[in-house]
Coordinates of all heavy atoms in Angstrom, one line a residue:
V141 N -0.7 -7.5 1.5 CA -0.7 -6.8 0.3 C 0.4 -7.5 -0.6 O 1.5 -7.8 -0.1 CB -0.4 -5.3 0.5 CG1 1.0 -5.1 1.2 CG2 -0.4 -4.6 -0.8
K142 N 0.1 -7.6 -1.9 CA 1.1 -8.2 -2.8 C 2.2 -7.3 -3.0 O 2.1 -6.0 -3.0 CB 0.4 -8.6 -4.1 CG -0.6 -9.7 -4.1 CD -1.2 -9.9 -5.4 CE -2.3 -11.0 -5.3 NZ -2.9 -11.3 -6.6
M143 N 3.4 -7.8 -3.2 CA 4.6 -7.0 -3.5 C 4.5 -6.4 -4.9 O 3.8 -6.9 -5.7 CB 5.9 -7.8 -3.3 CG 6.1 -8.4 -1.9 SD 6.1 -7.1 -0.6 CE 4.4 -7.2 0.1
N144 N 5.1 -5.2 -5.1 CA 5.1 -4.5 -6.3 C 3.7 -3.9 -6.6 O 3.3 -3.8 -7.7 CB 5.6 -5.3 -7.5 CG 7.0 -5.8 -7.3 OD1 7.9 -5.0 -6.9 ND2 7.3 -7.0 -7.6
T145 N 3.0 -3.6 -5.5 CA 1.7 -3.0 -5.6 C 1.8 -1.5 -5.5 O 2.5 -1.0 -4.6 CB 0.7 -3.5 -4.5 OG1 0.5 -4.9 -4.6 CG2 -0.6 -2.8 -4.5
L146 N 1.2 -0.8 -6.4 CA 1.2 0.7 -6.4 C 0.2 1.1 -5.3 O -1.0 0.8 -5.3 CB 0.8 1.2 -7.7 CG 0.8 2.8 -7.8 CD1 2.3 3.3 -7.6 CD2 0.3 3.2 -9.1
C147 N 0.7 1.8 -4.3 CA -0.1 2.4 -3.2 C 0.2 3.9 -3.0 O 0.8 4.5 -3.9 CB 0.4 1.6 -1.9 SG 0.2 -0.2 -2.0
S148 N -0.3 4.5 -2.0 CA -0.1 5.9 -1.8 C 0.1 6.2 -0.3 O -0.4 5.5 0.6 CB -1.2 6.7 -2.4 OG -2.4 6.4 -1.7
V149 N 0.7 7.4 -0.1 CA 0.8 7.9 1.3 C 0.4 9.4 1.3 O 0.4 10.0 0.2 CB 2.2 7.8 1.9 CG1 2.6 6.3 2.2 CG2 3.3 8.4 0.9
A168 N 1.6 11.2 -2.3 CA 2.5 10.6 -3.3 C 2.3 9.1 -3.5 O 1.8 8.4 -2.6 CB 4.0 10.8 -2.8
N169 N 2.6 8.6 -4.6 CA 2.5 7.2 -4.9 C 3.8 6.5 -4.4 O 4.9 7.1 -4.5 CB 2.3 6.9 -6.4 CG 0.9 7.3 -6.8 OD1 -0.1 7.3 -6.0 ND2 0.8 7.7 -8.1
T170 N 3.7 5.3 -4.0 CA 4.8 4.5 -3.6 C 4.5 3.0 -3.9 O 3.3 2.6 -3.9 CB 5.1 4.7 -2.1 OG1 6.4 4.1 -1.8 CG2 4.0 4.2 -1.2
T171 N 5.5 2.2 -4.0 CA 5.3 0.8 -4.4 C 5.9 -0.1 -3.4 O 7.0 0.1 -2.9 CB 6.0 0.5 -5.8 OG1 5.4 1.4 -6.8 CG2 5.8 -0.9 -6.2
T172 N 5.1 -1.1 -3.0 CA 5.6 -2.1 -2.0 C 6.7 -2.9 -2.6 O 6.8 -3.2 -3.8 CB 4.4 -3.0 -1.5 OG1 3.9 -3.7 -2.7 CG2 3.3 -2.2 -0.9
I173 N 7.6 -3.3 -1.7 CA 8.8 -4.0 -2.0 C 8.8 -5.4 -1.4 O 8.3 -5.6 -0.3 CB 10.1 -3.2 -1.6 CG1 10.1 -1.9 -2.3 CG2 11.3 -4.0 -1.8 CD1 11.2 -0.9 -1.8
K174 N 9.4 -6.4 -2.1 CA 9.5 -7.8 -1.6 C 10.2 -7.8 -0.2 O 11.1 -7.1 0.1 CB 10.3 -8.6 -2.5 CG 9.6 -8.9 -3.9 CD 10.5 -9.8 -4.8 CE 9.8 -10.0 -6.1 NZ 10.6 -10.8 -7.0
N175 N 9.6 -8.7 0.7 CA 10.1 -8.8 2.0 C 11.6 -9.1 2.0 O 12.4 -8.7 2.9 CB 9.4 -9.9 2.8 CG 8.0 -9.4 3.1 OD1 7.7 -8.2 3.3 ND2 7.1 -10.4 3.3
V177 N 13.9 -8.3 -0.1 CA 14.7 -7.1 -0.4 C 14.7 -6.2 0.8 O 15.8 -5.7 1.2 CB 14.1 -6.4 -1.6 CG1 14.8 -5.1 -1.9 CG2 14.2 -7.3 -2.9
C178 N 13.6 -6.0 1.5 CA 13.5 -5.2 2.7 C 14.4 -5.7 3.8 O 15.2 -5.0 4.5 CB 12.1 -5.1 3.2 SG 11.0 -4.3 2.1
I192 N 5.8 -3.7 6.5 CA 5.9 -3.6 5.0 C 6.8 -2.4 4.7 O 6.9 -1.4 5.4 CB 4.5 -3.2 4.5 CG1 3.4 -4.2 4.9 CG2 4.5 -3.0 2.9 CD1 2.0 -3.7 4.6
C193 N 7.6 -2.6 3.6 CA 8.4 -1.4 3.2 C 8.0 -1.1 1.8 O 7.5 -1.9 1.0 CB 9.9 -1.6 3.4 SG 10.7 -2.7 2.2
A194 N 8.2 0.2 1.4 CA 7.8 0.7 0.1 C 8.7 1.9 -0.3 O 9.2 2.6 0.5 CB 6.3 1.1 0.2
H195 N 8.7 2.1 -1.6 CA 9.5 3.2 -2.1 C 9.0 3.6 -3.5 O 8.4 2.8 -4.2 CB 11.0 2.8 -2.3 CG 11.9 3.9 -2.8 ND1 12.2 4.0 -4.2 CD2 12.4 4.9 -2.2 CE1 12.9 5.1 -4.3 NE2 13.1 5.7 -3.1
G196 N 9.1 4.9 -3.7 CA 8.6 5.5 -5.0 C 9.2 6.8 -5.3 O 10.2 7.2 -4.6
D197 N 8.7 7.5 -6.2 CA 9.3 8.8 -6.5 C 9.0 9.8 -5.3 O 9.8 10.7 -5.1 CB 8.6 9.4 -7.8 CG 9.0 8.7 -9.0 OD1 10.1 8.1 -9.0 OD2 8.3 8.7 -10.0
G198 N 8.0 9.5 -4.6 CA 7.7 10.3 -3.4 C 7.5 9.4 -2.2 O 7.3 8.2 -2.4
G199 N 7.5 9.9 -1.0 CA 7.3 9.1 0.2 C 7.1 9.9 1.4 O 7.2 11.1 1.4
S200 N 7.0 9.2 2.5 CA 6.7 9.9 3.8 C 8.0 10.5 4.4 O 9.1 10.1 4.1 CB 6.3 8.8 4.8 OG 5.1 8.1 4.3
L209 N -0.6 3.8 4.8 CA -0.2 3.3 3.5 C -1.5 2.7 2.9 O -2.0 1.8 3.4 CB 0.9 2.3 3.7 CG 1.3 1.6 2.4 CD1 2.0 2.5 1.4 CD2 2.2 0.4 2.7
V210 N -1.9 3.3 1.8 CA -3.2 3.0 1.2 C -3.0 2.3 -0.1 O -2.3 2.8 -1.0 CB -4.1 4.2 1.0 CG1 -5.4 3.9 0.4 CG2 -4.3 4.9 2.3
C211 N -3.6 1.1 -0.2 CA -3.5 0.3 -1.5 C -4.9 0.1 -1.9 O -5.7 -0.5 -1.2 CB -2.8 -1.0 -1.3 SG -1.1 -0.8 -0.6
V216 N -3.4 -0.4 4.5 CA -2.7 -1.7 4.8 C -1.5 -1.5 5.8 O -1.0 -2.4 6.4 CB -2.2 -2.3 3.5 CG1 -3.4 -2.6 2.6 CG2 -1.1 -1.5 2.9
N228 N 12.5 8.7 2.4 CA 12.3 8.1 1.1 C 13.6 7.6 0.4 O 13.8 7.7 -0.8 CB 11.5 9.0 0.1 CG 10.8 8.3 -1.0 OD1 10.2 7.2 -0.8 ND2 10.9 8.8 -2.2
S229 N 14.5 7.1 1.2 CA 15.8 6.6 0.7 C 15.6 5.3 -0.1 O 15.0 4.4 0.5 CB 16.8 6.4 1.8 OG 17.9 5.7 1.4
P233 N 14.3 1.7 2.3 CA 13.0 2.2 2.0 C 12.2 2.4 3.3 O 12.4 1.8 4.3 CB 12.4 1.0 1.2 CG 13.5 0.2 0.7 CD 14.6 0.3 1.7
N234 N 11.2 3.3 3.2 CA 10.3 3.6 4.3 C 9.6 2.4 4.8 O 9.2 1.5 4.0 CB 9.3 4.7 3.9 CG 10.0 6.1 3.7 OD1 11.2 6.2 3.8 ND2 9.2 7.1 3.4
V235 N 9.4 2.3 6.1 CA 8.8 1.1 6.7 C 7.5 1.5 7.3 O 7.3 2.5 8.0 CB 9.7 0.4 7.7 CG1 9.1 -0.8 8.3 CG2 11.1 0.1 7.0
Y236 N 6.5 0.6 7.2 CA 5.1 0.8 7.7 C 4.7 -0.5 8.5 O 5.1 -1.6 8.2 CB 4.2 0.9 6.5 CG 4.5 2.0 5.6 CD1 5.5 1.8 4.6 CD2 4.0 3.3 5.7 CE1 5.9 2.9 3.7 CE2 4.4 4.3 4.9 CZ 5.4 4.1 3.9 OH 5.7 5.1 3.1

Side-chain angles (χ1 to χ4, degrees):
V141 60
K142 294 180 180 179
M143 297 305 101
N144 299 315
T145 298
L146 181 64
C147 304
S148 66
V149 289
N169 289 331
T170 189
T171 302
T172 57
I173 299 174
K174 292 180 180 178
N175 289 333
V177 175
C178 296
I192 302 169
C193 77
H195 182 262
D197 292 334
S200 307
L209 174 66
V210 177
C211 303
V216 302
N228 200 42
S229 166
N234 291 0
V235 180
Y236 304 83

